[in-house]
Amino acid sequence: MSESLQSILGAETLAAFEAEGPLFSGLPGAAYTSEAFLALENERIFTDSWVFAGFAHELPRAGDVAPATVAGRPLLLVRDAELRVRAFHNVCRHRNLKLVDAPGNAGRAIRCPYHSWTYGLDGTLHVTPYFGGSEPRAVPPGFDRGRHGLVPVRSATWYDWIFVNLNGAAAALEEFLAPLRNRLEGIDLTRLHHIATIDFGEVAANWKLILENFIEPYHVQFVHATTTEQPLTDHYTVNDSGCLGCAVDVSGEATRGDTLSADSRYLTLFPNFVFGLYFPDQIGVQLNVPRAPDRTLQRRAIYSLGPESRLNACAEQLVKLWSGVHAEDHAMLERLQQGRASELAAGGGVLSPVWEDAVRSFQERVVSGLG
Ligand SMILES: [Fe+2]
């Protein structure tokens, strides 16, 4: 059992965070630096919720497999014979070896490299060679292969995005997605076309700092002065129960040169689905996977809407633009993380009631998800 929220953050610090305005404090620093806090997040938030775990287009063919990590656990994503994506615990039922450690195609069966236990794409255990003796099919008395298949994890795919719910108790995925869908204003996601993915590797910052940075528009004019033309005054925050983020309407200005200047929606679903919509036809989705309190793996997939989109010929340019935008954010995120080594960060700083109200809501979701 993990430590409680109160024992990790301290009762007084937690009470200061929970105190009502006029100004709100941010989350206490330990929420971003403590191993115990991440363990609690893994045990509760990343176990109870629908968690974004992977991209379906990376598993196009039957037999394609890819490892994923959710709540610190090794999971396995599989495209089965009916072309459905399934999720399992990525652990052989024999000696609990991590079964698949790199994306690839397993053919019709997933074989453990250690003793060749072999599972079907539906998780059924088919082969356990010599387990019961010197005959290939021998099994010991009392052993039933039917009881040692891969253990499934509840999963569902929405367009290109694979979600899993480890404890199986979250509300239906449709319900989880509804607040985002309500914000998509007639966008037709059936036209989704993957253009490129940028793998940023490890960002030296806590996953929550990445989400908070995406949610708030306050930094854009300062941090992204050269990569974007989106004045702060054109922004507003999105603070629905269920969908947090911000948006900008730039009054119809056209994209100029290599900068981003378009009406945009920066939307998140708690805890980790990050969805950017850049009118008229660009979408970006981030997969952020916590590795440690101060380290998060990050990838960004870039999409267009429609096969005829002019974006489809601009992969290189888009990768360059978004690599630049993320590099600007990473520099700030790593310094946000470093600042949390100071005792001054225990109080969590102070949030703008205008531009960081949705950040506050995100932080309140974290605290309520751990209580
Ligand atoms: Fe940013």
Side-chain angles (χ1 to χ4, degrees):
M1 189 64 195
S2 304
E3 286 179 67
S4 76
L5 183 63
Q6 209 173 75
S7 69
I8 298 167
L9 298 183
E12 256 176 62
T13 312
L14 188 56
F17 170 75
E18 286 174 336
E20 292 291 324
L23 291 173
F24 286 107
S25 300
L27 266 183
Y32 303 86
T33 59
S34 150
E35 293 279 357
F37 197 88
L38 180 57
L40 194 59
E41 289 175 329
N42 283 339
E43 186 183 297
R44 307 265 171 87
I45 291 169
F46 287 109
T47 296
D48 298 343
S49 316
W50 283 107
V51 177
F52 176 40
F55 298 101
H57 78 268
E58 295 181 348
L59 303 148
R61 296 175 303 146
D64 283 345
V65 294
T69 303
V70 172
R73 275 93 163 157
L75 299 189
L76 171 61
L77 306 175
V78 178
R79 181 78 67 175
D80 72 13
E82 287 77 46
L83 298 180
R84 218 194 96 185
V85 175
R86 295 176 184 248
F88 300 98
H89 289 274
N90 188 5
V91 173
C92 180
R93 298 297 305 281
H94 173 215
R95 295 297 305 278
N96 305 148
L97 184 117
K98 182 182 176 187
L99 195 55
V100 171
D101 71 347
N105 188 276
R108 283 192 213 159
I110 301 160
R111 191 181 71 83
C112 179
Y114 201 16
H115 303 92
S116 264
W117 282 36
T118 302
Y119 305 86
L121 300 179
D122 63 355
T124 308
L125 177 59
H126 290 305
V127 184
T128 55
Y130 305 100
F131 188 50
S134 53
E135 292 300 317
R137 300 280 303 169
V139 288
F143 178 75
D144 174 6
R145 281 196 198 99
R147 298 183 54 182
H148 295 266
L150 295 181
V151 175
V153 173
R154 186 185 184 200
S155 69
T157 302
W158 183 54
Y159 296 103
D160 194 36
W161 308 299
I162 303 165
F163 295 86
V164 304
N165 168 225
L166 278 173
N167 75 354
L173 185 75
E174 278 305 312
E175 205 174 303
F176 168 79
L177 296 172
L180 172 61
R181 299 184 88 137
N182 292 343
R183 287 266 169 190
L184 295 185
E185 304 165 36
I187 292 294
D188 181 5
L189 290 175
T190 63
R191 296 165 62 78
L192 199 73
H193 173 86
H194 176 255
I195 295 177
T197 296
I198 314 173
D199 188 342
F200 296 105
E202 233 169 50
V203 181
N206 184 273
W207 72 274
K208 294 185 294 300
L209 293 173
I210 294 176
L211 268 286
E212 292 167 9
N213 177 71
F214 186 82
I215 287 170
E216 63 91 345
Y218 187 21
H219 74 281
V220 173
Q221 61 185 334
F222 307 112
V223 175
H224 305 302
T226 59
T227 49
T228 66
E229 294 177 54
Q230 297 183 327
L232 182 67
T233 47
D234 293 341
H235 283 78
Y236 52 95
T237 60
V238 172
N239 196 4
D240 303 345
S241 67
C243 184
L244 300 172
C246 61
V248 58
D249 293 322
V250 286
S251 345
E253 291 167 45
T255 300
R256 278 179 272 171
D258 288 332
T259 66
L260 181 70
S261 173
D263 289 6
S264 305
R265 305 286 179 270
Y266 300 85
L267 303 171
T268 70
L269 291 173
F270 189 83
N272 78 330
F273 190 56
V274 173
F275 183 99
L277 167 61
Y278 314 91
F279 283 90
D281 58 355
Q282 188 186 161
I283 283 170
V285 169
Q286 288 180 33
L287 180 58
N288 293 297
V289 180
R291 293 266 286 192
D294 59 353
R295 283 183 290 129
T296 307
L297 290 174
Q298 185 177 65
R299 289 199 291 152
R300 180 193 187 91
I302 301 169
Y303 307 88
S304 68
L305 289 174
E308 73 286 2
S309 166
R310 68 187 166 80
L311 296 176
N312 296 340
C314 307
E316 224 172 283
Q317 199 186 336
L318 289 169
V319 166
K320 188 165 169 253
L321 169 66
W322 286 111
S323 297
V325 172
H326 279 255
E328 290 165 344
D329 282 322
H330 294 164
M332 296 301 110
L333 290 164
E334 298 187 1
R335 287 167 68 168
L336 282 164
Q337 187 68 36
Q338 289 160 17
R340 276 154 181 76
S342 165
E343 59 264 42
L344 287 180
V350 61
L351 299 174
S352 163
V354 177
W355 302 115
E356 294 166 312
D357 61 324
V359 169
R360 171 69 193 187
S361 295
F362 171 81
Q363 297 180 346
E364 286 173 356
R365 286 287 303 263
V366 171
V367 168
S368 69
L370 299 178

